[in-house]
Amino acid sequence: MYPFMETHNLCGVLYDPRDGDIDPAQLTQALAKGARDMGAKIIRKSPVTGIRRENGEWIVETAQGEIRCEYVVNAAGYYAQRVGEMFRPFGGRRVPMMVMSHQYMLFEEVEEVRDWSKEAGSKLPLLRDVDTSYYLRQEKNGFNLGPYERNCKAHWATPDDPMPEDFSFQLYPDDLERLEFYIEDAMARVPLLGQAGLSTVINGPIPYAPDGNPLIGPMPGVPNAFEACVFTFGIAQGGGAGKVLAEWITEGQTEWDMWAVDPRRFTAHADDAYCVAKGMEVYGHEYAMHFPHHEWPAGRDKKHSAVHSRMAEAGAVFGAYNGWERANWYAKPGDDTSEEATQTWDREGPWAPRVKEECEAVRDNCGIIAISGFSRLVVEGPGARAYIDSLTASRLPRPGRVGLAYFPDERGRVVTEMSVIPQSDDALLLITAAVAQWHDRDLLAGNAPEGITVSDRTDDFDCLLVTGPNARDILSGLTDADLSLSWLTAQEAIVCGKPCMVMRVSFAGELGWEIHCKAGDAPEIWDAVTAGGATPFGMFALDALRVEKGYRAWKGDLSTDYTLLESGLDRFIDFDKNVNFPGRDALVAERDAGPSKRAIGLVVEANGKDAPYMAPVIKDGEIVGETTSGAWGYRVGASLAIGMVRADLAAPGTELEVDIFGQMCKARVQEMPFWDAKNERIRG
């Protein structure tokens, strides 16, 4: 298939028979013709000079006049950040992106390649060496070599390298020195490349978001504005981007869950320095493995909670969550906390004995974890409760209670979940995931009626979860809160002399309380609780504990890929409420017909590795579903997973298989929760 390749030191290869290449310019022209044939108008050489809003419409100012429109899309490529600044007066933010210098080399025609292609009737397969990090493909009858080098370079990132006013059809100067290693390696792999004459060096800009994925979807905080920009793989991503963007604009929702590219996945922590650091990291590791316990080191320490130094002193090994540094696990002296130690697929690592100890402390005594960055949204105004009630399928709790509320789209699929704590009919607090901050703010504020305001109080407060069978004893001497109140209650109370909101909930599935306090008050409460005997625990332990309880995670187990009924959230749907919430008709029809898929729990014979997000679930050689979460359950002593399968395979006891990093592992469906099925401990 590739007769010019040296194979003596290869263990194997992967071949994709559908791989190929296409001329982007010709494809662009074909798309443009198709658009014109359907009535679109394309105005070239007409730069946008400004944007304003009038009477709920956008006015786009150009060199050739003004365009009035209902919707506007920032599709400005590596100019997207500059265009994004035009939207700042209307609630926008600085577009989270940077620009990378990417070089590729075109080589002259090679006689052997020409003769082989003529005889074979095709091109050589596109070759990617993911260890060295380059691609090599046939270009006409020569070669095209494009490395993704570790010693990469950002452009337009410093004051002495400003972005030009017009960079269209221009290139950067050649910088071949930093490519020397990659060129030599490619020539050793395909010696014929060394015989080819170098024809052209292309050094041009590629925009990168901090995670390497494009920005496609609603522009955060701006009405009727969307983004379709920062594409690292250009025209190859165009078809899918056009499809989902059109769905978002015309239908308000997409066929598939698109959180991976939603612009709202980055919030205020994604400043220019962060974007440059993460963009260079992604580019330099374009083909890198993504291990389940590995944290990428660039762009860290953007947000610290007030107890950060306490956690660090206790041995915390941190992870980043929407920019917030949270403890993943707590190391003891002598534990290996190096990045290298995390580059494994195995469950066991330096963290494993510590996570076990942390889970056992929560099970047998009491643990404390700082869950910094919970998104806190306050909805106020006449009729605020009725407004929230119109958005959710769930029954809202009364004041003094806490309720989980699920917000569906028109298909009945899960848009988000929030904890709702009503103060009155005119004021409600909603708490949601850290990463959902701008997503859920837009959901609540986007269609709020006149007189209803949505305020973001995320940065003002911190949250300490104190949980375990001894939690009541430890807290009783520190607070005037009524700790006899039942599960799912909320009360204003004094803790360690500080005003707090104390909520009787626990994502760990044990007796516990969330203490929501002013950020600056958290250290004193932390000190008192740990002095009382609580053990600090981290996010790795919390994830294991919540999987044992079958508690779902947003944008993992819960997404717009699944309906509320498929997700097993039947008990959270109030079909009898006197509000026609989004997706009600779709959910009624699905309830009557029966869901085609069902969320399940799985006990897995996992052989040292736990099921990751989106591992295939298999029955008799056929893929019948996927896992959405997985972890070792230290309280039950088994590898567990939450998944989604065909409804006919959801019965407890059904035997299935899970493909975990290439290993086929037997699994058995089991009812959730796996731990404390009657909730006796959490209600204790």
Side-chain angles (χ1 to χ4, degrees):
M1 297 173 71
Y2 206 113
F4 310 116
M5 180 170 60
E6 289 292 317
T7 62
H8 63 277
N9 61 348
L10 293 183
C11 297
V13 299
L14 297 173
Y15 174 63
D16 182 357
R18 297 182 179 180
D19 204 355
D21 60 86
I22 195 166
D23 182 339
Q26 291 187 39
L27 178 56
T28 301
Q29 292 301 320
L31 290 170
K33 181 181 185 303
R36 291 188 180 101
D37 289 347
M38 296 178 70
K41 185 176 183 181
I42 300 171
I43 305 170
R44 300 184 67 229
K45 299 180 181 180
S46 183
V48 172
T49 57
I51 296 171
R52 69 182 193 273
R53 274 185 77 74
E54 291 180 0
N55 302 319
E57 289 186 312
W58 290 106
I59 310 297
V60 180
E61 302 163 358
T62 81
Q64 297 187 35
E66 295 183 345
I67 301 171
R68 182 180 295 271
C69 53
E70 186 178 358
Y71 297 97
V72 65
V73 181
N74 180 356
Y78 51 79
Y79 275 89
Q81 194 170 77
R82 178 172 290 180
V83 170
E85 293 300 300
M86 300 179 186
F87 291 91
R88 295 288 284 272
F90 308 103
R93 86 306 186 207
R94 190 157 176 81
V95 174
M97 62 171 287
M98 54 86 68
V99 175
M100 185 64 65
S101 160
H102 176 65
Q103 297 184 92
Y104 63 93
M105 289 150 282
L106 300 178
F107 292 81
E108 294 174 352
E109 180 174 297
V110 180
E111 184 178 342
E112 290 88 341
V113 172
R114 182 197 63 204
D115 293 345
W116 185 91
S117 289
K118 184 177 181 180
E119 182 177 346
S122 65
K123 288 184 175 182
L124 290 164
L126 189 153
L127 186 155
R128 298 181 190 272
D129 187 326
V130 298
D131 292 314
T132 303
S133 190
Y134 66 80
Y135 62 84
L136 179 67
R137 68 178 175 88
Q138 183 176 335
E139 183 79 21
K140 296 183 179 177
N141 288 316
F143 288 105
N144 177 340
L145 174 63
Y148 291 96
E149 70 273 21
R150 296 287 176 90
N151 55 329
C152 50
K153 183 176 181 180
H155 267 295
W156 308 332
T158 56
D160 61 345
D161 182 27
M163 186 178 190
E165 283 300 316
D166 182 8
F167 195 78
S168 55
F169 306 109
Q170 299 175 50
L171 296 171
Y172 304 131
D174 300 349
D175 189 7
L176 290 179
E177 284 188 12
R178 70 176 201 253
L179 304 185
E180 184 176 349
F181 165 75
Y182 302 90
I183 297 171
E184 291 178 352
D185 193 90
M187 287 181 175
R189 179 64 61 207
V190 183
L192 193 62
L193 180 64
Q195 302 176 27
L198 180 60
S199 171
T200 308
V201 177
I202 309 294
N203 187 8
I206 295 182
Y208 267 75
D211 60 3
N213 285 339
L215 305 175
I216 312 173
M219 187 181 297
V222 183
N224 285 12
F226 294 82
E227 291 175 342
C229 50
V230 198
F231 291 92
T232 59
F233 295 103
I235 201 71
Q237 297 171 313
K243 167 187 159 57
V244 298
L245 187 68
E247 292 170 348
W248 238 315
I249 293 173
T250 62
E251 301 176 29
Q253 58 194 20
T254 54
E255 179 183 358
W256 313 308
D257 189 276
M258 296 306 299
W259 180 244
V261 298
D262 193 311
R264 296 167 295 186
R265 69 191 188 274
F266 299 113
T267 58
H269 68 283
D271 57 18
D272 286 350
Y274 176 88
C275 291
V276 170
K278 296 300 288 185
M280 293 180 68
E281 181 179 64
V282 171
Y283 182 93
H285 297 85
E286 193 70 61
Y287 297 119
M289 296 293 183
H290 296 270
F291 299 101
H293 291 92
H294 178 233
E295 290 276 345
W296 292 100
R300 298 297 297 274
D301 294 307
K302 300 304 294 185
K303 294 181 181 180
H304 284 186
S305 74
V307 297
H308 184 85
S309 62
R310 263 76 167 174
M311 293 188 289
E313 290 169 4
V317 180
F318 291 99
Y321 297 81
N322 195 36
W324 290 93
E325 294 290 322
R326 294 180 183 173
N328 277 337
W329 61 286
Y330 285 86
K332 291 185 177 180
D335 287 345
D336 185 354
T337 60
S338 68
E339 183 182 358
E340 290 74 21
T342 67
Q343 294 177 346
T344 175
W345 306 108
D346 294 339
R347 177 191 316 120
E348 295 298 321
W351 57 85
R354 305 298 167 238
V355 174
K356 179 177 184 291
E357 292 167 0
E358 293 168 22
C359 290
E360 289 172 346
V362 173
R363 180 194 67 191
D364 300 333
N365 180 31
C366 182
I368 181 172
I369 182 173
I371 315 180
S372 305
F374 262 147
S375 301
R376 292 173 172 80
L377 302 169
V378 176
V379 181
E380 298 175 294
R385 181 186 177 96
Y387 169 58
I388 297 300
D389 199 27
S390 72
L391 299 178
T392 175
S394 305
R395 177 177 299 175
L396 298 182
R398 63 181 185 273
R401 302 286 299 181
V402 180
L404 263 184
Y406 289 90
F407 295 73
D409 63 15
E410 291 297 337
R411 302 162 301 181
R413 300 190 178 193
V414 183
V415 174
T416 192
E417 77 167 2
M418 303 191 210
S419 294
V420 182
I421 304 96
Q423 275 81 51
S424 68
D425 286 349
D426 299 331
L428 301 90
L429 169 65
L430 295 98
I431 299 177
T432 182
V435 73
Q437 183 179 6
W438 285 4
H439 175 280
D440 287 0
R441 176 203 65 186
D442 284 1
L443 173 68
L444 299 179
N447 298 303
E450 187 174 350
I452 301 292
T453 62
V454 179
S455 305
D456 190 333
R457 310 280 175 82
T458 300
D459 293 339
D460 299 336
F461 294 88
D462 212 331
C463 174
L464 302 176
L465 170 59
V466 182
T467 183
N470 292 334
R472 181 180 283 114
D473 294 339
I474 290 174
L475 288 175
S476 61
L478 306 176
T479 180
D480 65 355
D482 184 354
L483 301 180
S484 68
L485 291 182
S486 64
W487 186 36
L488 299 178
T489 53
Q491 57 185 305
E492 302 293 333
I494 301 297
V495 182
C496 298
K498 311 296 183 183
C500 301
M501 183 178 68
V502 179
M503 294 168 44
R504 189 171 168 188
V505 294
S506 173
F507 203 45
E510 298 284 350
L511 173 70
W513 287 264
E514 286 181 0
I515 301 171
H516 296 261
C517 59
K518 290 285 183 67
D521 294 339
E524 188 171 338
I525 299 172
W526 174 278
D527 290 345
V529 172
T530 53
T535 298
F537 69 103
M539 295 299 293
F540 287 176
L542 184 62
D543 195 52
L545 295 165
R546 68 97 184 168
V547 169
E548 286 181 304
K549 286 296 293 180
Y551 292 160
R552 316 300 207 272
W554 187 67
K555 290 309 179 188
D557 313 294
L558 303 173
S559 77
T560 55
D561 283 333
Y562 311 121
T563 70
L564 273 68
L565 291 171
E566 289 172 341
S567 301
L569 303 175
D570 312 47
R571 68 187 186 280
F572 293 98
I573 305 173
D574 183 6
F575 285 107
D576 296 326
K577 65 192 294 186
N578 296 320
V579 178
N580 191 25
F581 56 83
R584 181 175 188 165
D585 292 344
L587 288 168
V588 168
E590 184 183 12
R591 178 194 62 184
D592 294 343
S596 60
K597 295 184 287 189
R598 275 292 190 183
I600 58 167
L602 289 168
V603 178
V604 188
E605 297 178 19
N607 195 24
K609 301 172 178 63
D610 297 315
Y613 174 64
M614 287 290 129
V617 177
I618 295 166
K619 179 70 172 178
D620 298 330
E622 177 188 359
I623 296 178
V624 294
E626 61 276 346
T627 61
T628 53
S629 288
W632 181 263
Y634 290 94
R635 290 177 296 194
V636 301
S639 182
L640 308 173
I642 301 171
M644 187 72 65
V645 298
R646 279 188 350 223
D648 61 299
L649 299 172
T654 302
E655 299 289 338
L656 300 168
E657 291 182 296
V658 181
D659 183 346
I660 300 180
F661 306 130
Q663 294 184 4
M664 297 302 297
C665 301
K666 293 181 179 179
R668 185 185 71 258
V669 177
Q670 181 172 315
E671 286 188 12
M672 295 184 288
F674 305 99
W675 171 255
D676 187 25
K678 296 181 179 179
N679 288 327
E680 293 172 340
R681 296 174 68 90
I682 202 169
R683 296 177 184 270

